[in-house]
Amino acid sequence: MIWDHRHECMDREELRSLQLQRLKEVLHRVYRRVPYYRQLFDAHGVRPEDLRSLEDIQKFPFTTKAALRDNYPYGLFAVPLKDVVRLHASSGTTGKPIVVGYTRKDLEIWSELVARIVTQAGVTSDDVVQITFGYGLFTGAFGLHYGLEKVGATIVPSSVGNSEKQIMLMKDFGTTVLVGTPSYALHLGETARSMGIDPAGLKVRLGLFGSEAWSEEMRRELEKMWGMKATDNYGLSEVMGPGVCGECGLKQGMHIAEDHFLVEIVDPETGEALDYGQEGEVVITTLTKEALPVIRYRTRDISVINPEPCACGRTSARLRRVTGRTDDMLIISGVNVFPSQIESVLIEVEGVSPHYQIVVDKRGYLDYLEVQVEMTEEFFTGSFRDLEALEEKIRRRLQTVLSINPRVRLLEPHSIERSQGKARRIIDRRRAEGKV
Ligand code: DLL
């Protein structure tokens, strides 16, 4: 089924003219209403009137996460706060998160776009959908929730964690669709097995996954484990959250909601626009967002666009699965983590040195993070109690900033190998073993 036939199957010429009209509007809007954009455009010598064709977007400067950070919390909003009816947040590169806002109309469009992606994956009003994304500041759970509600599915907002209970609910409520990160879905499958329940014997027939990179192998494993079809869905808080694009049942790339987002692929080094079919960094301009429009947002995600119409009947261009990032952001159990956030916590703590390592690995299917940091000579008393207290203090501070619970290991002074060049701060064992 197609949720919004008119927009999802639009003639491409008609779509381009709709995009152009909306792009002109949003450029004028940010220029008028957001001092940051006015200054940025002025500094680059461009004005909204300079845009005559879609390709002219290339004359405009990029927006980066730093802009959101520097204008924390509301500086990039294009409407007064009284018109903002919801806030969400995502990891920033330092201690503070980045904040995103939505007007009532933004929420309406968001739920429409999520209704599109869940419908194209195969969800109907007959389904019982268990949402295992965390409800809270993260866009994943609330984003999927309202789109699924619009479709009329029966939602089980079980949120993340409490895995045995998740399996019990799944069994008792007859869950047919599982929504969450692919790694948590694998963990849930393992949990079911440890409870003596074969996940493939449950009613779950479809999985809508996203929010972290995963591979075709992982998809095959999930499909076999649960006896389900598993689809990939991509989005990011800065431009909306889930709903930017997602796969239809044919699983041949993620249909982009092009009437609401202009997606470019650029060379991550030079910023030059690349052609369809060429791999590069995904750059997104929101065409209809009211509260927080973003112009040429550099996602740091690597992908390719395929403009060919899909056999499902939709004409929208498709984004290939995201295979990596151009920066050092780690995604740990679906939560974005920047090494710089960890550093910003460590430098505030008395008793530890600037020598640290971040180890990411998997226990079973679940990611975990361990921060290893050297103590300073003065603090290294050898007292076990002091050590434990300091570890706990760091752990709590990291948990507040990162929204995940890391392990902290204090090391003796000088125990981390000093490198000649760049310090090797991140050891991602998941990647080495091809688990991502
Ligand atoms: O993860 C939004 C989302 C929620 C998408 C639920 C899909 C489902 P953020 O927390 O802002 O938003 O994280 C965005 O996560 O820039 C990518 O690096 C990564 N990411 C999201 N979806 C995928 C995916 C949500 N399907 C960041 N494949 C993005 C690979 C993904 N990476």
Side-chain angles (χ1 to χ4, degrees), residues 137-424:
L137 288 171
F138 176 51
T139 55
F142 280 103
L144 263 305
H145 185 104
Y146 289 105
L148 284 159
E149 200 169 85
K150 186 159 250 182
V151 168
T154 307
I155 299 169
V156 185
S158 57
S159 200
V160 72
N162 217 341
S163 305
E164 293 201 354
K165 186 166 172 200
Q166 299 265 10
I167 299 297
M168 182 193 85
L169 295 179
M170 213 173 262
K171 192 160 162 265
D172 295 349
F173 294 0
T175 299
T176 56
V177 179
L178 177 60
V179 171
T181 60
S183 52
Y184 190 56
L186 281 172
H187 175 70
L188 279 179
E190 283 283 286
T191 306
R193 283 178 181 158
S194 71
M195 295 164 72
I197 296 170
D198 177 8
L202 295 169
K203 289 198 181 141
V204 182
R205 62 174 189 87
L206 183 62
L208 265 69
F209 300 122
S211 162
E212 65 184 11
W214 54 314
S215 58
E216 276 309 313
E217 292 71 46
M218 199 156 158
R219 175 177 354 232
R220 273 198 293 278
E221 201 169 328
L222 275 166
E223 293 192 327
K224 194 158 140 250
M225 170 183 253
W226 288 94
M228 62 159 54
K229 177 183 279 188
T231 64
D232 192 10
N233 299 278
Y234 167 85
L236 62 159
S237 318
E238 294 89 324
V239 309
M240 192 172 75
V244 177
C245 56
E247 285 178 330
C248 66
L250 300 177
K251 303 185 286 188
Q252 298 291 319
M254 299 182 281
H255 291 279
I256 303 169
E258 290 181 285
D259 47 338
H260 295 275
F261 304 101
L262 183 72
V263 182
E264 304 169 74
I265 300 288
V266 306
D267 180 322
E269 300 292 325
T270 63
E272 289 293 310
L274 297 176
D275 284 335
Y276 284 145
Q278 288 184 285
E279 185 180 81
E281 181 178 336
V282 179
V283 170
I284 305 180
T285 300
T286 61
L287 298 175
T288 50
K289 282 276 293 296
E290 287 184 337
L292 181 61
V294 285
I295 308 300
R296 303 198 84 201
Y297 186 73
R298 293 197 64 157
T299 65
R300 305 289 172 193
D301 292 315
I302 302 287
S303 187
V304 183
I305 294 180
N306 171 9
E308 296 301 318
C310 179
C312 72
R314 291 175 184 82
T315 52
S316 42
R318 282 166 285 158
L319 197 68
R320 187 204 63 195
R321 103 177 15 263
V322 168
T323 46
R325 290 185 55 87
T326 65
D327 64 6
D328 56 359
M329 185 177 92
L330 297 159
I331 304 189
I332 301 172
S333 296
V335 178
N336 305 345
V337 173
F338 287 93
S340 50
Q341 289 177 287
I342 296 175
E343 185 164 315
S344 73
V345 168
L346 296 179
I347 52 178
E348 303 267 299
V349 179
E350 206 190 334
V352 295
S353 77
H355 298 291
Y356 65 92
Q357 269 182 340
I358 298 166
V359 180
V360 192
D361 203 347
K362 280 193 185 283
R363 203 179 299 123
Y365 289 117
L366 284 190
D367 296 336
Y368 75 86
L369 168 70
E370 180 172 284
V371 177
Q372 304 175 344
V373 59
E374 284 182 16
M375 301 178 76
T376 55
E377 298 278 4
E378 306 81 75
F379 255 78
F380 187 62
T381 59
S383 151
F384 189 64
R385 194 171 309 147
D386 289 354
L387 238 134
E388 267 197 336
L390 187 57
E391 273 180 358
E392 180 57 17
K393 178 167 149 189
I394 299 172
R395 196 194 58 73
R396 262 190 277 116
R397 288 202 187 168
L398 285 171
Q399 193 178 16
T400 308
V401 169
L402 306 178
S403 307
I404 54 171
N405 191 3
R407 280 204 284 179
V408 173
R409 198 142 71 89
L410 289 174
L411 305 176
E412 284 179 35
H414 307 292
S415 47
I416 293 178
E417 198 187 329
R418 303 292 187 258
S419 82
Q420 300 294 322
K422 273 190 186 202
R424 186 167 174 245

